[in-house]
Amino acid sequence: MDTIEKAIIHALRIDGRAPFRTIAEVLDVSENTVARRYRQLRNTHGLRVIGLVNGQRLGYVQWTIRLRCTPDAAGSVAKALAARDDTSFVYLLSAGTEVSCTVQTRSIEEQEALLLHKLPRTSRIVAMSAHLLLRGFVLPDGWQGSAALTPDQVDHLRATPVDPEDGPLHLDEGDRSLLRVLNHDGRTSYSDLATATQWSESKVRRRMEAIRRNGILHFQLDIPSAAMGFGTEARLWIAAQPAAAVTVGEALARHREVSFAALTTGATNLVAAVNCRDPRDLGRYLTERIAELPGIATLETAPIIRTVKRAGSLLL
């Protein structure tokens, strides 16, 4: 990719709904150039902007799940998990016998149904671990590995800050229609959103701004890491000393290789996603960057063999 394409990607990570006109002004290029390069990125590299619901604002909790399957089953298990509306970031790991994913559940009944009954009773799953995500240190939409803009350019593009209201949040059928369309394409035009919701364009704009400001809706850029030149990805499970867990998590968030890091429950209390140029780059990261962090007791690395699903569907 050239510098313009990398800058467009960074701009869309900051605000997936940023108008092409605004991006063009920041990059000092024409609006037509931005629009053309955006279409090229979609067609060539599979780039897309997805509107996602923040499940925490609606009472959901997140789990990271790791499954070990029989050798013939991992692919079909991963596809079945990817088809669910409550999953995201579904990966085949290691030798293709492990599956990792993120799941959001809203009630104790949902947690029990999935974690205690449905998955354990699948005969081709031979082992499972589930870890509750307690705190995120860096999320994919905040990943700095693809940074290409100056701080002033970033400030110009930054979206409206989240300002959550107190009390329960209610989504009506119009909101659900709006969010479903945005989940398919986060840059859907206001006129098409008005058709889907049967609202006026002005109401669509007001409602989208309100649910974004409340932290219910956010936009995430979805693009394969390989398209950015990161051909080797891995998941890390880290056991840090309890007193050092937060410090280690914050340090991981400052590493350009790390696109996701979170504090979890379980025998390992940190999980991370790492993006490297190649296996040698991954080896250097593990033996030099992470090795220098104090407080880590154990570290397990599982290379990602195949990405089955990245950002997931909406929870409605």
Side-chain angles (χ1 to χ4, degrees):
M1 296 182 185
D2 62 23
T3 56
I4 293 178
E5 290 169 333
K6 292 178 180 178
I8 290 172
I9 288 172
H10 190 183
L12 292 174
R13 285 196 190 279
I14 298 167
D15 182 4
R17 289 285 298 188
F20 289 151
R21 181 181 64 257
T22 302
I23 297 175
E25 291 172 354
V26 168
L27 303 186
D28 194 24
V29 298
S30 71
E31 184 175 348
N32 286 338
T33 295
V34 173
R36 185 177 69 254
R37 296 298 186 90
Y38 172 79
R39 289 192 296 269
Q40 289 175 352
L41 289 167
R42 279 181 62 97
N43 296 334
T44 305
H45 298 296
L47 174 146
R48 61 182 184 143
V49 174
I50 302 174
L52 295 178
V53 165
N54 180 356
Q56 290 182 323
R57 294 290 294 133
L58 300 177
Y60 287 79
V61 295
Q62 283 191 315
W63 299 79
T64 180
I65 296 178
R66 189 177 182 186
L67 307 169
R68 191 168 76 248
C69 308
T70 57
D72 63 327
S76 58
V77 169
K79 288 180 181 178
L81 285 169
R84 296 176 60 98
D85 287 340
D86 55 0
T87 64
S88 59
F89 300 104
V90 182
Y91 301 112
L92 280 176
L93 303 174
S94 302
T97 58
E98 288 192 51
V99 178
S100 171
C101 71
T102 300
V103 175
Q104 297 195 62
T105 58
R106 179 163 50 185
S107 64
I108 294 176
E109 291 77 13
E110 287 181 3
Q111 295 174 28
E112 291 181 349
L114 180 64
L115 304 179
L116 299 182
H117 302 293
K118 190 166 185 176
L119 288 177
R121 290 182 180 177
T122 303
S123 60
R124 294 185 295 177
I125 296 176
V126 298
M128 182 185 82
S129 62
H131 305 260
L132 185 63
L133 295 179
L134 304 175
R135 172 181 173 182
F137 297 104
V138 62
L139 301 176
D141 52 357
W143 179 40
Q144 294 302 306
S146 60
L149 301 176
T150 67
D152 287 343
Q153 289 173 317
V154 170
D155 289 341
H156 192 79
L157 289 162
R158 202 177 300 280
T160 303
V162 173
D163 183 22
E165 295 179 358
D166 294 330
L169 301 171
H170 173 71
L171 299 178
D172 60 25
E173 190 53 41
D175 294 322
R176 294 185 177 91
S177 297
L178 175 69
L179 294 171
R180 288 189 189 99
V181 175
L182 291 172
N183 184 242
H184 178 72
D185 181 0
R187 293 191 65 86
T188 299
S189 68
Y190 287 110
S191 60
D192 287 343
L193 291 172
T195 300
T197 57
Q198 298 185 344
W199 290 343
S200 66
E201 288 190 35
S202 59
K203 183 175 180 179
V204 168
R205 290 174 183 270
R206 289 196 305 272
R207 189 56 181 163
M208 185 187 298
E209 181 182 352
I211 58 180
R212 288 188 74 180
R213 187 174 59 250
N214 268 288
I216 301 172
L217 170 67
H218 69 280
F219 293 96
Q220 185 165 308
L221 185 70
D222 192 17
I223 184 171
S225 296
M228 299 293 300
F230 299 95
T232 299
E233 300 175 79
R235 299 284 280 189
L236 308 182
W237 285 270
I238 300 169
Q241 297 170 4
V246 171
T247 301
V248 172
E250 291 173 342
L252 290 172
R254 293 191 292 270
H255 290 180
R256 290 177 62 86
E257 298 88 347
V258 177
S259 59
F260 169 73
L263 183 71
T264 74
T265 59
T268 57
N269 48 15
L270 292 167
V271 61
V274 174
N275 303 268
C276 295
R277 301 290 179 183
D278 52 40
R280 291 182 62 186
D281 191 23
L282 175 61
R284 284 192 296 270
Y285 178 71
L286 295 176
T287 57
E288 297 175 12
R289 299 294 302 282
I290 287 188
E292 70 181 10
L293 298 179
I296 294 179
T298 63
L299 167 66
E300 184 178 0
T301 308
I304 294 174
I305 303 301
R306 184 192 310 162
T307 300
V308 183
K309 183 181 186 181
R310 287 185 292 271
S313 302
L314 291 170
L315 299 170
L316 296 171

